[in-house]
Amino acid sequence: MLIMRYINKPHFIIKESLQKSKSTGVYFRDVVTPDVMRDICIRITGQDNFTFEYVDNNYQDAFLEKSYNKGRMAIMQYKDAVSYISFSEVEIGGRNSSVQSVPTAFNMYFTNPYPNKHLYYYFLNVSGNAETEYQILIYRLMRTIGFEFLNANQDLLSKIQPFSSADDIIFNRRINAGRNRSNNSTFITKGNNGAIEIYGKTYGANKYETSLICYALASLWHSGQKIKLFEVLEGDLKELPESSLKVIEQMGVIEVIPTDTTLEKRIYEKQNSLRSPRYTYNLFNKLGNKHCALCNCEIPELIQGAHILPVSEIKKMHGVTAEKRLEFALDGDNGLWLCENHHKMFDSGFLTFDDNGGLLLRNDIDQRHMRFIDETIKYRMLPPEFLTDKFVWYLRQRRAIG
């Protein structure tokens, strides 16, 4: 067990170099000043008498490694406790700008074996909107995994509540993403077996959001629950950072499934009914959260991705390269969200759509079944935003099959 010496007076250790300090000329000592440390010290310990030191990149101890200041961190040691304090940006820019450091800070905290440790977040005197709906979602994820907000009451109007369950996260993520399509980078749903499925881009700024969602869902895990992360990889862009994967592995409840073109090609070659992670992600990216296009059912376990042009027909296409056929099979424009009933009707030829998105029913349907069909179909026209040129092309190919 890691043993820390007993410290009678609160003591801060702060790496002064940020990742871009050499190019920007802005160092952490410029924003985390003695006045800021005094406020933090009072809020955590009730004391305003403390010591501090700014250290360079080569400094290391039981809580800090050799590097620039990862996680925008300050470490405060007092008595036999250690506090990990992560700071907001001074200026809130893009939607991920204020939280990019949070998963890194959490990774350092979570993987350190010292038992008497605490995790905090402190708002600097920020400019910009620190309380968008998306930011509140992120703050709630942070509360769920154990962050305490030291000064949220003075900087935020809303009280930050942790999520209570995986369903709570799924519902709020769906509402948040639905209001702003630019928020769509990580999708959470349930598969038809009830397993929680995370479809997330794991590179660029998206990896921070995906990591936080995974941590929060793992924190709320209960016995018998299955959670799967499908990592959506692109080209040479790799899976989640090693530090994040290490945390997920230690949490021990999330199955991580990398999905790239090679994997998708193997699935495509083996199956005529493609239920691939990449196809599902592409449908999310185009159509948003799962909801049947005909009856608006939103029970995720009952909603499926229905190919407009079936994979079995794509495989028969002549004069088309294998790479192009795979592209057709994975294309988000080649699909709709349909409930199990309407998906079966669609695949069985009971219904299709014209070029304007209007519902077409087969002429020879037994009249005894028409009442059920009429009662279960709420919408007879697809939304115009579905009707891209590629979507209409797939519709025409399907209708030509007969």
Side-chain angles (χ1 to χ4, degrees), residues 29-203:
R29 67 165 65 233
D30 299 322
V31 291
V32 182
T33 62
D35 285 342
V36 170
M37 284 183 268
R38 181 174 291 104
D39 185 44
I40 292 170
C41 192
I42 292 171
R43 291 174 185 274
I44 295 177
T45 70
Q47 300 188 43
D48 62 359
N49 190 13
F50 61 94
T51 57
F52 66 91
E53 56 183 312
Y54 298 107
V55 296
D56 62 23
N57 292 359
N58 290 322
Y59 176 89
Q60 64 178 339
D61 61 21
F63 307 105
L64 292 172
E65 61 185 46
K66 281 186 177 181
S67 74
Y68 64 87
N69 191 328
K70 294 181 177 178
R72 296 178 61 84
M73 294 285 298
I75 297 292
M76 188 188 76
Q77 300 176 20
Y78 180 51
K79 296 182 177 178
D80 63 344
V82 60
S83 297
Y84 289 74
I85 306 144
S86 184
F87 295 84
S88 72
E89 298 279 353
V90 175
E91 182 176 352
I92 304 297
R95 68 191 186 98
N96 282 315
S97 66
S98 64
V99 296
Q100 289 185 9
S101 61
V102 169
T104 303
F106 179 78
N107 294 348
M108 294 168 61
Y109 164 83
F110 185 86
T111 56
N112 192 288
Y114 189 70
N116 191 8
K117 57 186 178 181
H118 308 277
L119 184 62
Y120 298 100
Y121 191 76
Y122 186 88
F123 288 97
L124 296 169
N125 291 323
V126 300
S127 61
N129 187 1
E131 203 169 359
T132 65
E133 290 181 344
Y134 179 79
Q135 297 285 2
I136 294 299
L137 175 78
I138 295 297
Y139 300 149
R140 293 191 65 190
L141 292 172
M142 291 167 61
R143 284 283 287 120
T144 304
I145 63 177
F147 275 91
E148 295 181 50
F149 289 84
L150 287 172
N151 59 341
N153 290 341
Q154 72 181 39
D155 285 271
L156 301 179
L157 297 175
S158 305
K159 185 175 181 180
I160 307 302
Q161 298 284 1
F163 288 108
S164 59
S165 65
D167 286 333
D168 191 16
I169 293 178
I170 292 172
F171 175 78
N172 281 274
R173 182 71 182 93
R174 183 171 69 243
I175 296 299
N176 181 266
R179 289 173 180 164
N180 187 348
R181 289 297 297 275
S182 67
N183 287 346
N184 294 352
S185 58
T186 309
F187 301 95
I188 320 166
T189 189
K190 286 186 175 180
N192 56 16
N193 60 357
I196 296 168
E197 297 177 347
I198 309 159
Y199 295 86
K201 288 185 177 179
T202 53
Y203 52 87

Side-chain angles (χ1 to χ4, degrees), residues 296-322:
N296 208 30
C297 171
E298 293 185 335
I299 303 172
E301 294 94 326
L302 302 182
I303 307 300
Q304 301 168 346
H307 275 86
I308 305 300
L309 182 59
V311 174
S312 58
E313 295 297 330
I314 292 173
K315 288 184 174 182
K316 299 175 185 176
M317 298 177 89
H318 298 293
V320 180
T321 65

Side-chain angles (χ1 to χ4, degrees), residues 213-247:
I213 287 173
C214 287
Y215 300 161
L217 287 170
S219 298
L220 295 169
W221 176 86
H222 60 76
S223 180
Q225 189 177 66
K226 293 184 178 180
I227 308 176
K228 297 180 179 181
L229 166 64
F230 296 98
E231 296 183 295
V232 181
L233 311 180
E234 296 283 359
D236 294 332
L237 298 168
K238 302 303 181 183
E239 56 191 5
L240 280 177
E242 184 178 349
S243 58
S244 294
L245 288 173
K246 182 178 179 181
V247 169

